[in-house]
C-alpha cells in the first residue's frame, strides 16, 4: 500500500522508541529504571476521579459542543483572569482532546502549504511534525546552553521572512525546563508585533515552577501582545491527568471558531466525563497541586546535585517542568561513542536505565531525564549512569 507523502515525512518519536525498548527489557525480567516519562507519576487526585464517576452516573456520557462544555470554558476564562490577569471571553476558548490535539488543530487551521513557523531548539518533538502535517515548514533556531537555551530577539529576527506565520514559545520548556522572564518575552514580543507574527505560547507546565522563579505569559505583557497570542494549556501536567486528554487554547475568536469547526469533523468533542473531571480540577482546592510541585522540586534539587558530579556531564539547572537536560557529549566520547544516541542505547542495554536522546529535541549532545519518579529510582539511576561512565571510559 502506498502511504501519503505527509506521513512519509514524519520523524519517528524517539520517546516512544526508547519506551518500547525499555518495556521489552522489563518483560524479559530486567530491573529497568525509566527516566523517560513525560507525565507525573502521581495518580490523579481522588476528588477529580470522583467527579468523573459522579458525572457518568448522572448520565453525562453523551456528546457535548465540539469546543467544550460552556461551564468548562467559563472555568478556563476564570483561570486566565486569576493567574494572568487576562480578560478572555468564552468564544475565545477551545477545549480539545489534550494540549497535543489543541496544537495539531491550531496548525491545521492556521497554516497553508509553505507557511513557516519558527521553533527554538531544543523543542518538544511534536512541534516540528505537526507543522509539517499542516503543510508548513518548521524553521529551527538554535539556542545555546550559555544563554539557558533561550532565543534572543536578534536570533528571532534573523529567521523571519515573507513566509513566516508564527513563533512557538514554550515556557517552561520541555525538554530544558527553562523559562523566559518578562523582559525576555517583551523583547521577543516586540519583534513579533513588528512582523505581525502569531505567537503560539505553550504554557502546559505553568504551575510547575521552582525556587524563586515565576511564570510569566507573553500574553499578559500588553493588550497588543494578548491579541497576537494564542495560549495553549491543559490539565495533564498540573493535575496529573495525562490520560484524561483535556487541553485548551485561548486566542482570537475567529481562529478559535475555525479550530472548533475542524474538531467537529475529527474528534466531535473531548470526552464528556473528562471534561467534568477537568472542571473539578479547576474549580476545587489547589492544595494538591502545590504538594505535587513541592515533591518535584525536592527531586529536582537532589537529582541535579548528584548529576553534575558525574564526570563529562554538564547541566543547566531547570526552573520548571520535570526534566533535566544535561549535555553528555564528553561522557559519551570518553566511553567511545561518537553519537549520544548510541551512548543512551548502550546505557539502556548495559545498565538498564532509559533516557531520551536529545537528537529528537534538536539537541544531539544532550539527553532528557525525567524526575517524575521516586527519589529512590532517581538515585539508583544516577548511580548506574555514573558506574556506566566510569567503567566504559577509555583513557
Amino acid at each position: 500500500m502506498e502511504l501519503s507523502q505527509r506521513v512519509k515525512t514524519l520523524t519517528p518519536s524517539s520517546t516512544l522508541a526508547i519506551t518500547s525498548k525499555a518495556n521489552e527489557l522489563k518483560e524479559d525480567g530486567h530491573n529497568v529504571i525509566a527516566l523517560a516519562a513525560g507525565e507525573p507519576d502521581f495518580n490523579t487526585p481522588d476528588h477529580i476521579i470522583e467527579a468523573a464517576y459522579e458525572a457518568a452516573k448522572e448520565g453525562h456520557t453523551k456528546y457535548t459542543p465540539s469546543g467544550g462544555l460552556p461551564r468548562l470554558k467559563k472555568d478556563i476564562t476564570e483561570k486566565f483572569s486569576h493567574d494572568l490577569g487576562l480578560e478572555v471571553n468564552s468564544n475565545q476558548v477551545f477545549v480539545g482532546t489534550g494540549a497535543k490535539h489543541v496544537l495539531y488543530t491550531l496548525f491545521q487551521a492556521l497554516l497553508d502549504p509553505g507557511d513557516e513557523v519558527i521553533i527554538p531548539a531544543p523543542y518538544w518533538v511534536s512541534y516540528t511534525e505537526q507543522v509539517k502535517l499542516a503543510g508548513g515548514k518548521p524553521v529551527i533556531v538554535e539556542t545555546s546552553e550559555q544563554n539557558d537555551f533561550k532565543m534572543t530577539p536578534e536570533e528571532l529576527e534573523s529567521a523571519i521572512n515573507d513566509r513566516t506565520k508564527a513563533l512557538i514559545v514554550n515556557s517552561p520548556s520541555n525538554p530544558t525546563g527553562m523559562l523566559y522572564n518578562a523582559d525576555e518575552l517583551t523583547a521577543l514580543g516586540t519583534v513579533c508585533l513588528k512582523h505581525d507574527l502569531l505567537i503560539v505560547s505553550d504554557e502546559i507546565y505553568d504551575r510547575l515552577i521552582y525556587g524563586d522563579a515565576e511564570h510569566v505569559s507573553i500574553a499578559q505583557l500588553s493588550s497588543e501582545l494578548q491579541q497576537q497570542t494564542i495560549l495553549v494549556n491543559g490539565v495533564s501536567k498540573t493535575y496529573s491527568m495525562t490520560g484524561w486528554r483535556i487541553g485548551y487554547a485561548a486566542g482570537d475568536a475567529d481562529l478559535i471558531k475555525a479550530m472548533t469547526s475542524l474538531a467537529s469533523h475529527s474528534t466531535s468533542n473531548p470526552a464528556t466525563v473528562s471534561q467534568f473531571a477537568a472542571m473539578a480540577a479547576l474549580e476545587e482546592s489547589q492544595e494538591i497541586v502545590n504538594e505535587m510541585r513541592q515533591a518535584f522540586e525536592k527531586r529536582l534539587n537532589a537529582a541535579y546535585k548528584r548529576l553534575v558530579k558525574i564526570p563529562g556531564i554538564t547541566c543547566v539547572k531547570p526552573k520548571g517542568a520535570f526534566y533535566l537536560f544535561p549535555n553528555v557529549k564528553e561522557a559519551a566520547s570518553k566511553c567511545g561513542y561518537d553519537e549520544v544516541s548510541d551512548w543512551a542505547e548502550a546505557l539502556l542495554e548495559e545498565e538498564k536505565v532509559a533516557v531520551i536522546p536529545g537528537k529528537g529535541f534538536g539537541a544531539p549532545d544532550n539527553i532528557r531525564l525525567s524526575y517524575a519518579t521516586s527519589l529512590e529510582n532517581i538515585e539508583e539511576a544516577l548511580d548506574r549512569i555514573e558506574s556506566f561512565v566510569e567503567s566504559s571510559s577509555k583513557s
Side-chain angles (χ1 to χ4, degrees), residues 218 316 357:
I218 196 168
V316 179

Side-chain angles (χ1 to χ4, degrees), residues 251-367:
D252 176 80
D254 289 337
L255 179 55
I256 293 296
K257 182 179 179 181
M259 292 169 64
T260 303
S261 296
L262 183 58
S264 73
H265 293 291
S266 56
T267 57
S268 291
N269 61 269
T272 305
V273 292
S274 293
Q275 292 187 66
F276 276 86
M279 288 187 284
L282 293 169
E283 292 172 4
E284 298 186 27
S285 172
Q286 302 297 294
E287 182 178 354
I288 189 65
V289 174
N290 193 46
E291 290 176 6
M292 289 190 286
R293 188 202 64 77
Q294 289 176 340
F296 283 131
E297 184 166 16
K298 182 178 180 181
R299 296 172 185 178
L300 164 62
N301 290 334
Y304 179 79
K305 182 178 180 180
R306 179 77 178 79
L307 177 68
V308 294
K309 292 181 179 179
I310 300 175
I313 294 179
T314 60
C315 187
V316 179
K317 189 174 184 180
K319 296 181 179 179
F322 39 68
Y323 310 106
L324 291 157
F325 200 63
N327 186 314
V328 300
K329 180 65 175 178
E330 182 182 342
S333 179
K334 287 182 176 180
C335 293
Y337 296 95
D338 294 330
E339 301 291 335
V340 165
S341 56
D342 294 334
W343 179 88
E345 185 176 346
L347 175 66
L348 178 57
E349 289 283 355
E350 296 182 28
E351 291 291 344
K352 308 302 183 288
V353 176
V355 301
I356 306 298
K359 186 175 182 179
F361 301 99
D365 293 345
N366 296 66
I367 58 172

Side-chain angles (χ1 to χ4, degrees), residues 176-243:
T176 68
M178 295 299 109
L179 69 160
Y180 290 88
N181 62 36
D183 290 341
E184 292 163 339
L185 289 172
T186 298
L188 294 177
T190 298
V191 177
C192 291
L193 291 173
K194 173 184 173 183
H195 294 278
D196 193 28
L197 303 185
L198 179 71
I199 303 163
V200 180
S201 187
D202 182 351
E203 303 178 13
I204 192 71
Y205 295 96
D206 67 332
R207 298 290 294 277
L208 298 177
I209 309 289
Y210 312 117
D212 59 358
E214 295 182 2
H215 169 68
V216 179
S217 171
I218 196 168
Q220 70 185 125
L221 298 177
S222 71
S223 58
E224 292 81 10
L225 283 172
Q226 182 180 353
Q227 293 172 11
Q228 202 75 14
T229 301
I230 182 160
L231 293 164
V232 178
N233 209 319
V235 297
S236 293
K237 314 298 184 178
T238 298
Y239 301 98
S240 195
M241 294 177 64
T242 51

Side-chain angles (χ1 to χ4, degrees), residues 35-237:
L35 301 183
E39 60 183 349
D41 56 318
F42 304 102
N43 195 24
T44 304
D46 289 343
H47 71 278
I48 297 174
I49 296 172
E50 188 64 27
Y53 175 60
E54 291 298 326
K57 286 202 303 181
E58 291 170 6
H60 297 293
T61 58
K62 311 299 182 183
Y63 293 127
T64 75
S66 290
L69 287 164
R71 179 178 145 198
L72 178 53
K73 286 188 173 187
K74 183 173 183 295
D75 288 342
I76 292 166
T77 65
E78 290 176 353
K79 170 189 162 56
F80 285 126
S81 176
H82 178 271
D83 292 358
L84 303 176
L86 295 176
E87 294 304 315
V88 177
N89 297 321
S90 290
N91 70 338
Q92 295 177 277
V93 173
F94 168 76
V95 182
T97 308
K100 180 180 284 189
H101 170 247
V102 170
L103 285 162
Y104 178 85
T105 305
L106 165 64
F107 293 127
Q108 292 291 324
L110 179 69
L111 301 178
D112 284 319
D115 286 344
E116 297 185 1
V117 177
I118 296 174
I119 305 173
Y123 47 78
W124 178 53
V125 295
S126 291
Y127 290 146
T128 54
E129 307 314 296
Q130 291 190 354
V131 168
K132 289 190 292 185
L133 283 169
K137 177 184 176 182
V139 175
I140 308 304
V141 173
E142 302 289 343
T143 63
S144 69
E145 292 184 58
Q146 291 71 30
N147 195 40
D148 291 348
F149 298 111
K150 291 186 281 191
M151 182 174 60
T152 67
E154 293 78 17
E155 289 168 338
L156 170 60
E157 183 82 51
S158 67
I160 296 171
N161 61 43
D162 291 342
R163 295 308 307 266
T164 309
K165 193 75 172 281
L167 163 70
I168 298 177
V169 176
N170 179 207
S171 178
S173 162
N174 174 8
T176 68
M178 295 299 109
L179 69 160
Y180 290 88
N181 62 36
D183 290 341
E184 292 163 339
L185 289 172
T186 298
L188 294 177
T190 298
V191 177
C192 291
L193 291 173
K194 173 184 173 183
H195 294 278
D196 193 28
L197 303 185
L198 179 71
I199 303 163
V200 180
S201 187
D202 182 351
E203 303 178 13
I204 192 71
Y205 295 96
D206 67 332
R207 298 290 294 277
L208 298 177
I209 309 289
Y210 312 117
D212 59 358
E214 295 182 2
H215 169 68
V216 179
S217 171
I218 196 168
Q220 70 185 125
L221 298 177
S222 71
S223 58
E224 292 81 10
L225 283 172
Q226 182 180 353
Q227 293 172 11
Q228 202 75 14
T229 301
I230 182 160
L231 293 164
V232 178
N233 209 319
V235 297
S236 293
K237 314 298 184 178

